[in-house]
Amino acid sequence: MKKIPSPLVSLIPLIVLVALLFATIRTFGSDALSGGSQVSLLTTTAVCVLIGMGFYKIGWKDFELAITNNITGVSSALIILLIIGALSGAWMISGVVPTLIYYGIQIIHPSFFLTSTCIICALVSVMTGSSWTTIATIGIALMGIGKAQGFEEGWIAGAIISGAYFGDKISPLSDTTILAASVTDTPLFKHIRYMLITTVPSLIITLIIFTVAGLSHNAGNTEHIAEFSAALAGKFHITPWLLIVPIGTGILIARRVPSIITLFLSAALAGVFAVFFQPDLLQEISGAQNSEGIQSIFKGLMMTLYGGTSLQTSNEALTELVATRGMAGMMNTVWLIICAMCFGGAMTASGMLGSITSVFVRFMKNTVSMVASTVCSGIFLNLATADQYISIILTGNMFRDIYEKKGYESCLLSRTTEDSVTVTSVLIPWNTCGMTQATILSVPTLVYLPYCFFNIISPLMSITIAAIGYKIVRRK
């Protein structure tokens, strides 16, 4: 019988990972995901393998098999990520996202600015699947509008981040949503539907707080809104017909069509609409603005799907918004996931993951304590590893067998993981999310933290729903 590492020994790779990620993030900043974090993960994997082989006589074949199985388990997620890259480009250049923003931004009124900001960011984030893109684009524009209306920057940033992370958490286009579902072996749309039980109440409470705060505020002008709307209308052909794409996507999701098929059809439909409604933009992307040939339109469409695009507009914030990354823009995330799965596989094969998990098992007496332990573990890993992707993978791997043995549906683990990891990453100053958003919005993390009500309420809501016992399903 093989000797299993003690919990203290099992923490050594995690301590090494934390140290490497701290140095990497401090050195590279928001560019840490471009390679530094991946190297840190592979280095820590090597440390884990050396300890296992050198002190516990675990064979290399065991590590190789665990790593291979881990990577195989997320293969469909990697394909989805690549399709999402194409989808995000197609939705943007076809005018789907600009149309949604154009109509959505019209509802902003000074008294309801914070509420509108949260809703608009939520809609954009759901449609794009990216909180980072939402905050770095429309978030910056809303930051300027809010300051012009006299709101404190902490309140504005809190509303932006709350809305953006709502979308990031439940969007079928979100890489964290896909990752949480795939790591726990939960069907994507089942995971999303189950998350609504905790996510919707959290958002409602958040909107009530922002509404009360907005009604008690004396606001200024709305010049920035008109300027942004004019820039949108000047660059894109805005028409309600483009709303067919998100409506059609919603129908496919409601009919529970497999996610890969849904996302592919949505990207294809958006591509067709881009050809009909935005041919000039496709020609601009292809570099043949003065040509009206079908070949230049086809080239522009293909470049939109696989690569990055950049369109110049009359508004700087809008120029940032309409920039897309395509399939190529997903490669850093794909690379990171593969390296993280190597680390997870090594931790599993060495028995270290099971050893750490055994510590948490002691506190799991019932559903509430189990969910609370998962929440605390997710937040701890966010603090320790400074990266939400790594934290999601580790949390899912640590508790997957426990939830299965106790007879709980995997969607309970996937939901609790998202409730604790995805939304709290932006609240930690040294986490890649917290550091990035603080830099983008020019608001320190600790300044906006008290106003990110959705992010604070979500993990508490997860524990509350578990205490109530609402739709906590056990397998027969």
Side-chain angles (χ1 to χ4, degrees), residues 169 176 179-181 183-184 191 195 371 374-375 377-379 381-382 388-397 399-400 403 410-424 459 462:
K169 187 180 171 188
T176 55
L179 185 60
V183 167
T184 57
H191 166 60
M195 270 204 300
V371 170
T374 309
V375 167
S377 173
I379 295 173
L381 288 171
N382 249 342
Q388 62 176 347
Y389 298 104
I390 300 170
S391 300
I392 288 172
I393 290 169
L394 290 179
T395 303
N397 283 331
F399 291 98
R400 184 169 55 194
Y403 275 69
S410 62
C411 55
L412 178 60
L413 173 58
S414 63
R415 181 181 75 185
T416 308
T417 300
E418 284 251 72
D419 284 341
S420 59
V421 177
T422 301
V423 296
T424 61
S462 191

Side-chain angles (χ1 to χ4, degrees), residues 69-86 171-188 191 258-261 263 327 330-338 340-341 389 392-393 400:
N69 288 340
N70 265 18
I71 294 175
T72 301
V74 298
S75 57
S76 60
L78 301 182
I79 295 172
I80 290 173
L81 281 174
L82 293 176
I83 298 176
I84 285 172
S171 173
L173 313 183
S174 170
D175 47 8
T176 55
T177 304
I178 296 165
L179 185 60
S182 61
V183 167
T184 57
D185 293 327
T186 306
L188 178 59
H191 166 60
S259 53
I260 290 180
I261 298 175
L263 298 176
M327 295 174 72
M330 290 294 174
M331 293 313 298
N332 279 345
T333 304
V334 170
W335 182 17
L336 179 73
I337 290 174
I338 291 174
M341 296 313 288
Y389 298 104
I392 288 172
I393 290 169
R400 184 169 55 194

Side-chain angles (χ1 to χ4, degrees), residues 7-234:
L8 286 177
V9 173
S10 301
L11 286 174
I12 292 175
L14 282 178
I15 294 171
V16 173
L17 180 60
V18 170
L20 287 174
L21 287 175
F22 177 81
T24 300
I25 293 170
R26 190 174 181 83
T27 303
F28 294 98
S30 59
D31 291 330
L33 295 180
S34 299
S37 295
Q38 288 88 331
V39 173
S40 299
L41 278 164
L42 290 180
T43 303
T44 310
T45 302
V47 171
C48 184
V49 171
L50 286 174
I51 294 174
M53 295 181 69
F55 296 95
Y56 296 94
K57 308 304 179 185
I58 299 170
W60 167 246
K61 284 292 184 182
D62 293 332
F63 285 104
E64 191 174 30
L65 180 62
I67 290 171
T68 303
N69 288 340
N70 265 18
I71 294 175
T72 301
V74 298
S75 57
S76 60
L78 301 182
I79 295 172
I80 290 173
L81 281 174
L82 293 176
I83 298 176
I84 285 172
L87 179 68
S88 62
W91 273 40
M92 184 64 72
I93 302 304
S94 66
V96 172
V97 173
T99 296
L100 289 166
I101 295 173
Y102 180 83
Y103 290 131
I105 210 170
Q106 306 301 322
I107 69 173
I108 288 185
H109 184 277
S111 298
F112 298 96
F113 169 76
L114 293 174
T115 307
S116 300
T117 294
C118 186
I119 293 173
I120 290 171
C121 287
L123 290 173
V124 174
S125 189
V126 168
M127 295 304 171
T128 61
S130 172
S131 57
W132 287 32
T133 300
T134 302
I135 293 170
T137 53
I138 192 66
I140 293 177
L142 291 167
M143 198 72 192
I145 297 169
K147 287 182 177 179
Q149 295 182 348
F151 285 94
E152 293 181 10
E153 60 182 13
W155 277 99
I156 307 168
I160 293 168
I161 290 171
S162 291
Y165 275 81
F166 167 83
D168 196 323
K169 187 180 171 188
I170 69 163
S171 173
L173 313 183
S174 170
D175 47 8
T176 55
T177 304
I178 296 165
L179 185 60
S182 61
V183 167
T184 57
D185 293 327
T186 306
L188 178 59
F189 294 127
K190 180 180 180 180
H191 166 60
I192 292 172
R193 286 192 297 271
Y194 200 62
M195 270 204 300
L196 293 176
I197 297 172
T198 58
T199 304
V200 171
S202 299
L203 182 66
I204 291 173
I205 295 171
T206 299
L207 292 176
I208 291 172
I209 295 172
F210 283 135
T211 300
V212 172
L215 289 172
S216 61
H217 176 78
N218 293 321
N221 59 66
T222 57
E223 290 180 8
H224 293 287
I225 302 174
E227 179 186 340
F228 199 82
S229 298
L232 274 171

